[in-house]
Amino acid sequence: MQEFKIADQTYASRLLIGTAGYPNFHIMTESIAASGAEIATVSMRRVKFTGASGENLFALLRERDMTILPNTAGCFTAKDAILTANLAREALETSLIKLEVIGDEETLFPDVEQLLNAAETLVKDGFTVLPYCNDDPITCKKLEDLGCAAVMPLGAPIGSGMGIRNPYNIQIIRDLVQVPLIVDAGVGTASDAAIAMELGCDGVLLNTAVAKAHRPVLMAEAMKKAVEAGRAAFLAGRIPRKLYATASSPQTGMIE
Amino acid sequence: MKIHVNGEEKTVDPNLNICDLLIVLELNPKQAGIAVAVNREVVPKTAWQATELRENSDVEIIRAVQGG
């Protein structure tokens, strides 16, 4: 798979970026630009009636021709996630949904049972479902079989910056599923994103690693390069690991 | 009549439709990027004018915010 494609749309960038937690709106927009990402995630929340409506994120992302990927973050049941997805489709005029059904507040690990139920309903309702899921090959396979447009296993817990905790599972998932494989959550720095791509992932979705970096715009640029480098390395094919040395310089014609 | 909007109780005129409610709340019904659910069912924009609220209607008005 040379092209990165989601729901018949081809993207030049394999980095998907979140819009939360930046020091301010300006740094967020600069970071998104520096990342080269063409897909940005948003959450759906109640409108506040405090008078000031604040920045219009939807309008801003639209102006920049970004693909908007609404999430169902904060939902703990399939029922809530389905309603949120339907509200997002109506508000943002997109059938894309980053499906999150959380099972536990402390770890933010997915509730697999609820996730599979929600995915099934949303696929039937015509959504393009991108599920945030465990790095469990069987769950990923089931999500693919239900008709999800991608699978997005976590590298580590959301916002933890712990990197790819189980690269072997990610590798098995790569072998098992045909749909785009995107590592979502856990990336802490550029090398984590590169590792995900070197394992054969089609993309990386991250937020906190950039938003909470000391210099978010610079980290966004680093992530862009890491995703590109990791992808190139995967395509190039790494050499096998060996315990002992193999000289790279000629062994003959030495001075005596 | 009393209705609930985003979890807050509000007293509004009887048989208010969704467009009217948005105007009462100082929201522009033509503004892109918002969606409305009544009693946990999404009401499409095209049906806002025709959808009248009832006593105890539970209204959610949502929009996109920064998220990961």
Side-chain angles (χ1 to χ4, degrees):
Chain A
M1 203 191 299
Q2 294 290 317
E3 284 190 323
F4 181 48
K5 232 174 159 182
I6 290 172
D8 296 328
Q9 175 81 41
T10 303
Y11 297 94
S13 168
R14 291 170 179 271
L15 179 59
L16 296 79
I17 197 155
T19 56
Y22 294 85
N24 57 51
F25 220 68
H26 175 71
I27 293 178
M28 179 196 79
T29 53
E30 293 290 299
S31 299
I32 293 172
S35 76
E38 294 160 289
I39 302 174
T41 59
V42 299
S43 286
M44 306 311 297
R45 290 291 180 270
R46 285 171 165 170
V47 169
K48 288 181 185 149
F49 309 119
T50 47
S53 61
E55 303 278 1
N56 189 337
L57 184 61
F58 176 60
L60 181 133
L61 295 173
R62 242 191 181 181
E63 265 166 35
R64 285 159 191 256
D65 279 326
M66 300 287 294
T67 294
I68 300 173
L69 175 57
N71 69 29
T72 62
C75 291
F76 281 77
T77 62
K79 202 176 142 209
D80 283 350
I82 290 164
L83 177 58
T84 304
N86 277 284
L87 284 164
R89 179 161 67 177
E90 176 65 21
L92 309 180
E93 295 152 34
T94 177
S95 63
L96 290 173
I97 191 76
K98 176 186 162 184
L99 179 61
E100 292 183 44
V101 190
I102 302 301
D104 170 60
E105 267 182 59
E106 200 173 2
T107 59
L108 298 179
F109 283 141
D111 182 320
V112 175
E113 186 188 21
Q114 296 287 320
L115 179 69
L116 291 169
N117 289 342
E120 188 172 16
T121 301
L122 290 172
V123 168
K124 278 185 190 148
D125 288 348
F127 283 88
T128 299
V129 181
L130 288 78
Y132 155 73
C133 55
N134 289 303
D135 56 356
D136 166 28
I138 307 304
T139 302
C140 288
K141 185 64 189 154
K142 283 185 179 179
L143 288 163
E144 177 181 50
D145 290 345
L146 286 173
C148 290
V151 291
M152 305 206 295
L154 52 86
I158 294 172
S160 70
M162 292 286 281
I164 313 301
R165 293 208 301 194
N166 196 338
Y168 304 105
N169 270 27
I170 299 292
Q171 219 174 327
I172 293 170
I173 294 165
R174 173 69 296 167
D175 289 343
L176 217 54
V177 306
Q178 307 299 312
V179 291
L181 166 59
I182 298 164
V183 158
D184 175 8
V187 168
T189 188
S191 53
D192 296 333
I195 287 168
M197 296 307 292
E198 286 169 13
L199 290 168
C201 290
D202 295 293
V204 173
L205 197 167
L206 55 87
N207 188 157
T208 311
V210 169
K212 299 295 186 198
H214 185 56
R215 293 171 65 184
V217 181
L218 190 56
M219 184 59 90
E221 194 188 323
M223 291 300 184
K224 177 183 196 252
K225 290 174 177 166
V227 167
E228 287 170 359
R231 178 66 183 172
F234 170 71
L235 293 175
R238 65 154 299 139
I239 59 161
R241 289 183 169 88
K242 284 187 300 187
L243 192 56
Y244 291 96
T246 307
S248 45
S249 303
Q251 301 298 290
T252 54
M254 300 285 293
I255 51 165
E256 287 183 33
Chain B
M1 63 177 185
K2 284 197 167 59
I3 60 169
H4 285 88
V5 183
N6 288 357
E8 288 175 32
E9 192 176 274
K10 295 208 183 278
T11 305
V12 296
D13 295 338
N15 305 327
L16 198 74
N17 71 41
I18 292 175
C19 277
D20 296 337
L21 173 67
L22 293 174
I23 291 161
V24 168
L25 296 170
E26 294 178 16
L27 294 167
N28 179 1
K30 294 204 164 62
Q31 173 195 331
I34 59 172
V36 175
V38 177
N39 300 331
R40 298 187 65 85
E41 287 286 332
V42 177
V43 181
K45 282 184 185 75
T46 48
W48 284 357
Q49 193 74 49
T51 304
E52 290 185 351
L53 301 168
R54 301 272 174 258
E55 181 81 29
N56 289 324
S57 284
D58 187 10
V59 184
E60 294 284 347
I61 308 169
I62 61 95
R63 65 167 188 148
V65 300
Q66 288 166 272

